Coordinates of all heavy atoms in Angstrom, one line a residue:
N1 N 92.8 100.9 106.3 CA 93.3 102.2 106.8 C 93.6 102.1 108.3 O 94.3 103.0 108.8 CB 92.2 103.2 106.5 CG 92.1 103.6 105.1 OD1 93.1 103.7 104.4 ND2 90.9 103.7 104.5
A2 N 93.2 101.0 108.9 CA 93.7 100.8 110.3 C 95.2 100.6 110.3 O 95.9 101.1 111.2 CB 93.0 99.6 110.9
Y3 N 95.7 99.9 109.3 CA 97.1 99.7 109.2 C 97.9 101.0 108.9 O 98.9 101.3 109.5 CB 97.5 98.7 108.1 CG 97.1 97.3 108.4 CD1 96.1 96.7 107.7 CD2 97.8 96.6 109.4 CE1 95.8 95.4 108.0 CE2 97.4 95.3 109.7 CZ 96.4 94.7 109.0 OH 96.1 93.4 109.2
A4 N 97.3 101.9 108.1 CA 97.9 103.2 107.8 C 98.0 104.0 109.1 O 99.0 104.6 109.4 CB 97.1 103.9 106.8
E5 N 96.9 104.0 109.8 CA 96.9 104.8 111.1 C 97.9 104.2 112.1 O 98.6 104.9 112.7 CB 95.5 104.8 111.7 CG 95.3 105.7 112.8 CD 93.9 106.0 113.2 OE1 93.0 105.4 112.6 OE2 93.7 106.8 114.1
F6 N 98.0 102.9 112.2 CA 98.9 102.2 113.1 C 100.4 102.6 112.7 O 101.1 103.1 113.5 CB 98.8 100.7 113.0 CG 99.9 100.0 113.7 CD1 100.0 100.0 115.1 CD2 100.9 99.3 113.0 CE1 101.0 99.3 115.7 CE2 101.9 98.7 113.6 CZ 102.0 98.7 115.0
Y7 N 100.7 102.4 111.4 CA 102.1 102.7 111.0 C 102.5 104.2 111.2 O 103.6 104.5 111.7 CB 102.3 102.3 109.6 CG 102.6 100.9 109.4 CD1 101.7 100.1 108.6 CD2 103.7 100.2 109.9 CE1 101.9 98.7 108.4 CE2 103.9 98.9 109.8 CZ 103.0 98.1 109.0 OH 103.2 96.8 108.8
C8 N 101.6 105.1 110.9 CA 101.9 106.5 111.1 C 102.0 106.8 112.6 O 102.8 107.7 113.0 CB 100.8 107.4 110.5 SG 101.0 107.4 108.7
S9 N 101.2 106.1 113.5 CA 101.3 106.4 114.9 C 102.6 105.9 115.5 O 102.9 106.4 116.6 CB 100.1 105.8 115.6 OG 100.2 104.4 115.7
I10 N 103.3 105.0 114.9 CA 104.5 104.5 115.5 C 105.7 105.0 114.7 O 106.8 104.4 114.6 CB 104.5 103.0 115.6 CG1 104.4 102.3 114.2 CG2 103.5 102.5 116.6 CD1 104.7 100.8 114.2
D11 N 105.6 106.1 114.0 CA 106.6 106.8 113.2 C 107.2 106.0 112.1 O 108.3 106.1 111.7 CB 107.8 107.2 114.1 CG 107.6 108.5 114.7 OD1 106.8 109.3 114.2 OD2 108.3 108.8 115.7
Q12 N 106.3 105.2 111.4 CA 106.7 104.5 110.2 C 105.7 105.1 109.1 O 104.9 104.4 108.5 CB 106.5 103.0 110.3 CG 107.5 102.4 111.3 CD 107.5 100.9 111.4 OE1 106.9 100.3 110.5 NE2 108.1 100.4 112.4
K13 N 105.9 106.4 108.9 CA 105.0 107.1 108.1 C 104.9 106.7 106.6 O 103.9 106.6 106.0 CB 105.4 108.6 108.1 CG 104.3 109.6 107.6 CD 104.7 111.0 107.9 CE 103.7 111.9 107.4 NZ 104.0 113.3 107.8
Q14 N 106.0 106.3 106.0 CA 106.0 105.8 104.6 C 105.1 104.6 104.4 O 104.4 104.5 103.5 CB 107.4 105.5 104.1 CG 108.3 106.8 103.9 CD 107.6 107.8 103.0 OE1 107.1 108.8 103.4 NE2 107.5 107.5 101.7
E15 N 105.2 103.7 105.4 CA 104.3 102.5 105.3 C 102.9 102.9 105.4 O 102.0 102.4 104.7 CB 104.7 101.5 106.4 CG 106.0 100.8 106.2 CD 107.2 101.6 106.7 OE1 107.1 102.8 107.1 OE2 108.3 101.1 106.7
G16 N 102.6 103.8 106.3 CA 101.2 104.3 106.5 C 100.7 105.0 105.3 O 99.6 104.7 104.8
I17 N 101.5 105.8 104.7 CA 101.1 106.5 103.5 C 100.9 105.5 102.3 O 100.0 105.7 101.5 CB 102.2 107.6 103.1 CG1 102.1 108.7 104.2 CG2 101.9 108.2 101.7 CD1 103.3 109.7 104.1
A18 N 101.7 104.5 102.3 CA 101.5 103.5 101.2 C 100.1 102.9 101.3 O 99.5 102.6 100.3 CB 102.6 102.4 101.3
F19 N 99.6 102.6 102.5 CA 98.3 102.0 102.7 C 97.2 103.0 102.2 O 96.2 102.7 101.6 CB 98.0 101.6 104.1 CG 98.5 100.2 104.4 CD1 99.7 100.1 105.1 CD2 97.8 99.1 104.1 CE1 100.2 98.8 105.4 CE2 98.3 97.9 104.4 CZ 99.5 97.7 105.1
L20 N 97.4 104.3 102.5 CA 96.4 105.3 102.1 C 96.4 105.5 100.6 O 95.4 105.6 100.0 CB 96.8 106.7 102.8 CG 96.5 106.8 104.3 CD1 97.1 108.1 104.8 CD2 95.1 106.6 104.6
E21 N 97.6 105.5 100.0 CA 97.7 105.6 98.5 C 97.0 104.4 97.9 O 96.4 104.5 96.8 CB 99.1 105.7 98.1 CG 99.7 107.1 98.4 CD 101.1 107.3 98.0 OE1 101.8 106.3 97.9 OE2 101.5 108.5 97.9
R22 N 97.1 103.2 98.4 CA 96.5 102.0 97.9 C 95.0 102.2 97.9 O 94.3 101.8 97.0 CB 96.9 100.8 98.7 CG 96.4 99.5 98.2 CD 96.7 99.1 96.7 NE 98.1 99.3 96.4 CZ 98.5 99.2 95.1 NH1 97.8 98.8 94.2 NH2 99.8 99.4 94.9
S23 N 94.4 102.8 99.0 CA 93.0 103.0 99.1 C 92.6 104.0 98.0 O 91.5 103.8 97.4 CB 92.6 103.6 100.5 OG 92.9 102.7 101.5
V24 N 93.3 105.0 97.8 CA 93.0 106.0 96.7 C 93.1 105.3 95.3 O 92.2 105.5 94.5 CB 94.0 107.2 96.8 CG1 93.8 108.1 95.5 CG2 93.7 108.0 98.0
F25 N 94.1 104.5 95.1 CA 94.2 103.8 93.9 C 93.0 102.9 93.5 O 92.6 102.9 92.4 CB 95.5 102.9 93.9 CG 95.7 102.2 92.6 CD1 96.3 102.8 91.5 CD2 95.4 100.8 92.6 CE1 96.5 102.0 90.3 CE2 95.6 100.1 91.4 CZ 96.2 100.7 90.3
H26 N 92.5 102.2 94.5 CA 91.4 101.3 94.3 C 90.0 101.9 94.5 O 89.0 101.2 94.2 CB 91.6 100.0 95.2 CG 92.7 99.1 94.8 ND1 92.7 98.5 93.5 CD2 93.8 98.8 95.4 CE1 93.8 97.8 93.4 NE2 94.5 97.9 94.5
A27 N 89.9 103.1 95.0 CA 88.6 103.7 95.1 C 88.0 104.0 93.8 O 88.7 104.0 92.7 CB 88.8 105.0 95.9
A28 N 86.7 104.1 93.8 CA 86.0 104.5 92.5 C 86.5 105.9 92.1 O 87.0 106.7 92.9 CB 84.5 104.6 92.8
R29 N 86.4 106.1 90.8 CA 87.0 107.4 90.2 C 86.3 108.6 90.9 O 87.0 109.6 91.0 CB 86.7 107.4 88.7 CG 87.4 108.5 88.0 CD 88.8 107.9 87.7 NE 89.5 108.9 86.8 CZ 90.7 109.2 87.1 NH1 91.4 108.8 88.1 NH2 91.3 110.1 86.3
D30 N 85.1 108.5 91.3 CA 84.4 109.6 91.9 C 84.6 109.7 93.4 O 84.1 110.5 94.1 CB 82.9 109.6 91.6 CG 82.2 108.3 92.1 OD1 82.9 107.5 92.8 OD2 81.1 108.1 91.8
G31 N 85.5 108.8 94.0 CA 85.9 108.8 95.4 C 85.1 107.9 96.3 O 85.3 107.9 97.5
H32 N 84.1 107.2 95.7 CA 83.3 106.3 96.6 C 84.2 105.1 97.1 O 85.1 104.6 96.4 CB 82.2 105.7 95.8 CG 81.1 106.7 95.5 ND1 80.1 106.9 96.5 CD2 80.8 107.5 94.5 CE1 79.3 107.8 96.0 NE2 79.7 108.2 94.8
L33 N 84.0 104.8 98.3 CA 84.7 103.6 98.9 C 83.7 102.5 99.3 O 82.6 102.8 99.6 CB 85.4 104.1 100.2 CG 86.4 105.2 100.1 CD1 86.9 105.6 101.5 CD2 87.6 104.7 99.3
S34 N 84.2 101.3 99.2 CA 83.4 100.1 99.7 C 84.1 99.6 101.0 O 85.1 100.1 101.4 CB 83.4 99.0 98.6 OG 82.8 99.5 97.5
E35 N 83.4 98.7 101.6 CA 83.9 98.3 102.9 C 85.1 97.4 102.9 O 85.8 97.2 103.9 CB 82.8 97.6 103.7 CG 82.4 96.2 103.1 CD 81.3 95.5 104.0 OE1 81.4 95.5 105.2 OE2 80.4 94.9 103.4
Q36 N 85.4 96.7 101.8 CA 86.5 95.7 101.7 C 87.2 95.8 100.4 O 86.8 96.3 99.4 CB 85.9 94.3 101.8 CG 85.1 94.0 103.0 CD 84.4 92.6 102.8 OE1 84.3 92.1 101.7 NE2 84.1 92.0 104.0
F37 N 88.5 95.3 100.5 CA 89.2 95.0 99.3 C 89.1 93.5 98.9 O 89.1 92.7 99.8 CB 90.7 95.3 99.5 CG 91.1 96.7 99.6 CD1 91.5 97.2 100.8 CD2 91.1 97.5 98.5 CE1 91.9 98.5 100.9 CE2 91.5 98.9 98.6 CZ 91.9 99.4 99.8
N38 N 89.0 93.2 97.7 CA 88.9 91.8 97.2 C 90.3 91.3 97.4 O 91.3 91.9 96.9 CB 88.5 91.7 95.8 CG 88.4 90.3 95.3 OD1 89.5 89.7 95.1 ND2 87.2 89.8 95.0
R39 N 90.5 90.1 98.0 CA 91.8 89.6 98.3 C 92.6 89.2 97.0 O 93.8 89.1 97.0 CB 91.8 88.4 99.3 CG 91.3 87.1 98.7 CD 91.6 86.0 99.6 NE 90.6 86.0 100.7 CZ 90.5 85.1 101.6 NH1 91.3 84.1 101.6 NH2 89.6 85.2 102.5
N40 N 91.9 88.9 96.0 CA 92.5 88.4 94.7 C 92.8 89.6 93.8 O 93.9 89.6 93.2 CB 91.7 87.4 94.0 CG 91.5 86.1 94.9 OD1 92.5 85.6 95.4 ND2 90.3 85.6 95.0
S41 N 91.9 90.5 93.6 CA 92.0 91.6 92.6 C 92.5 92.9 93.3 O 93.1 93.7 92.6 CB 90.7 91.8 91.9 OG 89.8 92.4 92.8
G42 N 92.3 93.0 94.6 CA 92.6 94.3 95.3 C 91.6 95.4 95.1 O 91.7 96.4 95.8
Y43 N 90.6 95.1 94.4 CA 89.6 96.2 94.2 C 88.5 96.1 95.2 O 88.3 95.1 95.9 CB 89.0 96.1 92.8 CG 90.0 96.6 91.8 CD1 90.9 95.8 91.1 CD2 90.1 98.0 91.5 CE1 91.8 96.2 90.3 CE2 91.1 98.5 90.7 CZ 91.9 97.6 90.0 OH 92.9 98.1 89.2
M44 N 87.8 97.3 95.4 CA 86.8 97.4 96.4 C 85.6 96.4 96.1 O 85.2 96.2 95.0 CB 86.2 98.8 96.4 CG 87.3 99.9 96.7 SD 87.4 100.1 98.5 CE 88.6 101.3 98.6
Q45 N 85.0 95.9 97.2 CA 83.9 95.1 97.1 C 83.0 95.2 98.4 O 83.5 95.9 99.3 CB 84.2 93.6 96.9 CG 84.9 93.0 98.2 CD 85.2 91.5 98.0 OE1 85.4 91.1 96.9 NE2 85.3 90.8 99.1
G46 N 81.9 94.7 98.4 CA 81.0 94.7 99.6 C 80.2 96.0 99.6 O 80.0 96.6 98.6
A47 N 79.6 96.3 100.7 CA 78.7 97.4 100.9 C 79.5 98.7 100.5 O 80.6 98.9 100.8 CB 78.2 97.5 102.3
R48 N 78.8 99.6 99.8 CA 79.4 100.8 99.3 C 78.9 102.0 100.2 O 77.8 102.0 100.7 CB 78.9 101.0 97.9 CG 79.6 102.2 97.2 CD 79.2 102.2 95.7 NE 79.1 103.6 95.3 CZ 79.2 104.0 94.1 NH1 79.3 103.1 93.1 NH2 79.1 105.2 93.8
D49 N 79.8 102.9 100.3 CA 79.5 104.2 101.0 C 79.2 104.0 102.5 O 78.3 104.7 103.0 CB 78.5 105.0 100.3 CG 78.9 105.5 98.9 OD1 80.2 105.7 98.8 OD2 78.1 105.6 98.0
L50 N 79.8 103.1 103.2 CA 79.6 103.0 104.6 C 80.4 104.1 105.3 O 81.5 104.4 105.0 CB 80.1 101.7 105.1 CG 79.3 100.4 104.6 CD1 80.0 99.2 105.1 CD2 77.9 100.5 105.0
T51 N 79.7 104.7 106.3 CA 80.3 105.8 107.1 C 81.7 105.5 107.6 O 82.6 106.3 107.5 CB 79.4 106.3 108.2 OG1 78.1 106.6 107.7 CG2 80.0 107.5 108.9
W52 N 81.9 104.3 108.2 CA 83.1 103.9 108.8 C 84.3 103.8 107.8 O 85.4 103.9 108.1 CB 83.0 102.7 109.7 CG 82.6 101.4 109.1 CD1 83.4 100.6 108.3 CD2 81.4 100.8 109.2 NE1 82.7 99.5 107.9 CE2 81.4 99.6 108.4 CE3 80.2 101.1 109.8 CZ2 80.3 98.8 108.3 CZ3 79.1 100.3 109.7 CH2 79.2 99.1 109.0
S53 N 83.9 103.5 106.5 CA 85.0 103.4 105.5 C 85.6 104.8 105.3 O 86.9 104.9 105.3 CB 84.4 102.9 104.2 OG 83.9 101.6 104.3
Y54 N 84.8 105.8 105.3 CA 85.3 107.2 105.1 C 86.0 107.7 106.4 O 87.0 108.3 106.4 CB 84.2 108.1 104.7 CG 83.6 107.8 103.4 CD1 82.4 107.1 103.3 CD2 84.3 108.1 102.2 CE1 81.9 106.7 102.0 CE2 83.8 107.8 101.0 CZ 82.6 107.1 100.9 OH 82.1 106.7 99.6
A55 N 85.3 107.4 107.6 CA 85.9 107.8 108.9 C 87.3 107.1 109.1 O 88.2 107.8 109.6 CB 85.0 107.4 110.0
S56 N 87.4 105.9 108.7 CA 88.7 105.2 108.8 C 89.8 105.9 108.0 O 90.9 106.1 108.4 CB 88.6 103.7 108.4 OG 89.8 103.1 108.4
Y57 N 89.4 106.2 106.7 CA 90.4 106.9 105.8 C 90.8 108.2 106.4 O 92.0 108.6 106.5 CB 89.8 107.1 104.4 CG 90.7 107.7 103.5 CD1 91.7 107.0 102.8 CD2 90.8 109.1 103.4 CE1 92.6 107.6 102.0 CE2 91.7 109.8 102.6 CZ 92.6 109.0 101.9 OH 93.5 109.6 101.1
L58 N 89.8 109.0 106.8 CA 90.1 110.4 107.4 C 90.9 110.3 108.6 O 91.8 111.1 108.8 CB 88.8 111.1 107.6 CG 88.0 111.5 106.4 CD1 86.6 112.1 106.7 CD2 88.8 112.4 105.5
S59 N 90.6 109.4 109.5 CA 91.3 109.2 110.8 C 92.8 108.9 110.5 O 93.7 109.4 111.1 CB 90.7 108.1 111.6 OG 91.4 108.0 112.8
A60 N 93.0 107.9 109.6 CA 94.4 107.5 109.2 C 95.1 108.7 108.5 O 96.3 109.0 108.8 CB 94.4 106.3 108.3
Y61 N 94.4 109.4 107.6 CA 95.1 110.5 107.0 C 95.5 111.6 108.0 O 96.6 112.1 107.9 CB 94.1 111.2 105.9 CG 94.8 112.2 105.1 CD1 95.2 111.8 103.8 CD2 94.9 113.5 105.5 CE1 95.8 112.8 102.9 CE2 95.6 114.4 104.6 CZ 96.0 114.1 103.4 OH 96.6 115.0 102.6
M62 N 94.6 111.9 108.9 CA 94.9 112.9 109.9 C 96.1 112.5 110.8 O 96.9 113.3 111.2 CB 93.7 113.3 110.7 CG 92.7 114.0 109.9 SD 91.1 114.3 110.7 CE 91.6 115.1 112.2
T63 N 96.2 111.2 111.1 CA 97.3 110.7 111.9 C 98.6 110.8 111.1 O 99.6 111.2 111.7 CB 97.1 109.2 112.3 OG1 95.9 109.1 113.1 CG2 98.2 108.7 113.1
C64 N 98.6 110.5 109.8 CA 99.8 110.6 109.0 C 100.2 112.0 108.7 O 101.4 112.4 108.7 CB 99.6 109.8 107.7 SG 99.5 108.1 107.9
F65 N 99.2 112.9 108.4 CA 99.6 114.3 107.9 C 99.2 115.4 108.9 O 99.6 116.5 108.6 CB 98.9 114.5 106.6 CG 99.4 113.6 105.5 CD1 98.7 112.5 105.1 CD2 100.6 113.9 104.9 CE1 99.1 111.7 104.1 CE2 101.1 113.0 103.9 CZ 100.3 111.9 103.5
G66 N 98.4 115.1 109.9 CA 98.0 116.2 110.8 C 97.0 117.2 110.3 O 96.9 118.2 110.9
K67 N 96.4 116.9 109.2 CA 95.4 117.8 108.7 C 94.4 117.0 107.8 O 94.6 115.8 107.5 CB 96.0 118.8 107.8 CG 96.7 118.2 106.6 CD 97.4 119.3 105.7 CE 98.1 118.6 104.6 NZ 98.7 119.6 103.7
M68 N 93.3 117.6 107.5 CA 92.3 117.0 106.6 C 92.7 117.0 105.2 O 93.3 118.0 104.7 CB 90.9 117.7 106.8 CG 90.3 117.5 108.1 SD 89.7 115.9 108.4 CE 88.3 115.8 107.3
P69 N 92.4 115.9 104.4 CA 92.8 115.9 103.0 C 91.8 116.7 102.1 O 90.7 116.9 102.5 CB 92.7 114.4 102.7 CG 91.6 113.9 103.6 CD 91.8 114.7 104.8
K70 N 92.3 117.0 100.9 CA 91.4 117.5 99.9 C 91.0 116.3 99.1 O 91.6 115.9 98.1 CB 92.1 118.5 99.0 CG 92.5 119.8 99.8 CD 93.2 120.7 98.9 CE 93.6 122.0 99.6 NZ 94.3 122.9 98.8
L71 N 89.9 115.6 99.5 CA 89.5 114.3 99.0 C 89.2 114.4 97.5 O 89.6 113.5 96.7 CB 88.3 113.8 99.7 CG 88.6 113.3 101.1 CD1 87.3 112.9 101.8 CD2 89.6 112.2 101.2
T72 N 88.5 115.4 97.0 CA 88.1 115.4 95.6 C 89.4 115.4 94.7 O 89.5 114.6 93.8 CB 87.3 116.7 95.3 OG1 86.2 116.7 96.2 CG2 86.8 116.7 93.9
T73 N 90.4 116.2 95.0 CA 91.6 116.3 94.3 C 92.3 114.9 94.3 O 92.7 114.4 93.3 CB 92.5 117.4 94.8 OG1 91.8 118.6 94.8 CG2 93.7 117.5 94.0
A74 N 92.5 114.3 95.5 CA 93.3 113.1 95.6 C 92.6 112.0 94.8 O 93.3 111.3 94.1 CB 93.4 112.7 97.1
F75 N 91.3 111.8 95.0 CA 90.7 110.6 94.3 C 90.5 110.8 92.8 O 90.6 109.9 92.1 CB 89.3 110.4 95.0 CG 89.4 109.7 96.3 CD1 89.2 110.3 97.5 CD2 89.8 108.3 96.3 CE1 89.3 109.7 98.7 CE2 89.9 107.7 97.6 CZ 89.7 108.3 98.7
Q76 N 90.3 112.0 92.4 CA 90.1 112.3 90.9 C 91.4 112.2 90.2 O 91.4 111.7 89.0 CB 89.3 113.6 90.7 CG 87.9 113.5 91.1 CD 87.1 114.8 90.9 OE1 87.7 115.8 90.7 NE2 85.8 114.7 91.0
S77 N 92.5 112.7 90.7 CA 93.7 112.8 90.0 C 94.6 111.6 90.2 O 95.5 111.3 89.4 CB 94.5 114.0 90.4 OG 94.9 113.9 91.8
R78 N 94.3 110.8 91.2 CA 95.1 109.6 91.5 C 96.5 109.9 91.8 O 97.4 109.1 91.6 CB 95.0 108.5 90.4 CG 93.6 108.1 90.0 CD 93.2 107.1 91.0 NE 92.0 106.4 90.4 CZ 91.0 106.0 91.1 NH1 91.0 106.2 92.4 NH2 89.9 105.5 90.5
T79 N 96.8 111.1 92.3 CA 98.1 111.5 92.6 C 98.6 111.1 93.9 O 97.8 110.8 94.8 CB 98.3 113.1 92.5 OG1 97.4 113.6 93.5 CG2 98.0 113.6 91.1
P80 N 99.9 110.9 94.1 CA 100.4 110.5 95.5 C 99.9 111.5 96.5 O 99.8 112.7 96.2 CB 101.9 110.5 95.3 CG 102.1 110.3 93.8 CD 100.9 111.0 93.2
L81 N 99.8 111.1 97.7 CA 99.3 111.9 98.8 C 100.3 112.8 99.4 O 100.0 113.8 100.0 CB 98.7 111.1 99.9 CG 97.5 110.2 99.5 CD1 97.1 109.2 100.6 CD2 96.4 111.0 99.1
H82 N 101.6 112.5 99.2 CA 102.6 113.3 99.9 C 103.4 114.1 98.9 O 103.3 114.1 97.7 CB 103.6 112.4 100.7 CG 104.2 111.3 99.9 ND1 103.5 110.2 99.5 CD2 105.4 111.1 99.4 CE1 104.3 109.4 98.9 NE2 105.5 109.9 98.8

């Protein structure tokens, strides 16, 4: 999500949104996030439910969209963010 925030901050919003959507795609169905993506499978691994994982997602989302997301809807439906 650091990449998402970076791209959105330099006016490359589509690239930033693509990173956010990838996070949503690989998150657990109930919205839980882990600290890392597995480099081979792309799925979440490592410690689960770390505060900074959520803070990073929210910070990037706010940079890209200027508002807080409706997390339950986004993660449960797996719909695009924009």
Side-chain angles (χ1 to χ4, degrees):
N1 291 316
Y3 289 112
E5 190 165 4
F6 169 74
Y7 280 118
C8 286
S9 72
I10 62 168
D11 271 343
Q12 294 184 13
K13 196 171 182 176
Q14 287 306 109
E15 289 86 351
I17 292 170
F19 276 101
L20 289 173
E21 288 177 339
R22 182 59 47 185
S23 294
V24 170
F25 178 80
H26 287 297
R29 193 84 173 134
D30 58 6
H32 287 276
L33 297 174
S34 295
E35 70 175 320
Q36 302 172 339
F37 288 108
N38 180 291
R39 78 169 72 176
N40 298 314
S41 69
Y43 286 93
M44 299 273 179
Q45 69 178 24
R48 190 172 143 161
D49 293 330
L50 296 175
T51 303
W52 62 75
S53 297
Y54 297 101
S56 174
Y57 180 87
L58 293 173
S59 179
Y61 189 99
M62 289 173 54
T63 299
C64 291
F65 294 102
K67 62 182 179 178
M68 291 292 290
K70 295 180 180 179
L71 291 176
T72 305
T73 304
F75 283 106
Q76 288 179 345
S77 67
R78 306 275 194 217
T79 58
L81 299 173
H82 55 286

